[in-house]
Amino acid sequence: RSVFKPFIFVDDVKLVPKVQSPSFGNDDPAKKIPRFQEKPDRRHELYKAHEWARSLLENDQDKGQKLMRIMLDLEKQGLEAMEDILT
């Protein structure tokens, strides 16, 4: 399985909150002294959603199949929309 996460290397990129690791501010273990005494959950929301979907696909056949149909339908809609734009 592969999940594509685009990285854009240009000026003035608008960051998408769902793919940014959480910020812990002054509570970040990297900033506290002594450092790194805790291990925070730095997974971003999209990563968590992918983990959930993978788990569902692997552990619940009925719900996994339903999710797969939904994902394939969304992919089809995206491809059709792009084809419309290109034509």
Side-chain angles (χ1 to χ4, degrees):
R1 294 195 177 108
S2 175
V3 176
F4 174 71
K5 180 180 176 187
F7 289 90
I8 303 170
F9 300 97
V10 296
D11 293 332
D12 301 321
V13 172
K14 183 177 180 183
L15 299 175
V16 180
K18 296 283 186 192
V19 295
Q20 293 178 11
S21 292
S23 174
F24 297 96
N26 291 332
D27 288 332
D28 193 319
K31 295 179 182 177
K32 288 181 179 180
I33 307 260
R35 294 177 56 179
F36 301 108
Q37 299 300 304
E38 305 165 32
K39 185 176 180 184
D41 184 359
R42 297 190 187 275
R43 297 172 302 158
H44 55 68
E45 292 302 312
L46 182 59
Y47 185 88
K48 290 178 185 180
H50 285 161
E51 283 187 321
W52 172 83
R54 187 192 72 226
S55 176
L56 193 67
L57 290 168
E58 292 173 353
N59 299 311
D60 189 326
Q61 187 174 6
D62 292 336
K63 289 181 181 178
Q65 287 178 356
K66 182 178 179 182
L67 176 61
M68 184 61 74
R69 284 192 301 271
I70 291 169
M71 290 190 304
L72 290 172
D73 186 51
L74 289 170
E75 181 180 47
K76 181 181 174 193
Q77 289 176 36
L79 289 171
E80 289 171 351
M82 186 55 64
E83 287 175 358
D84 288 346
I85 290 170
L86 292 173
T87 56

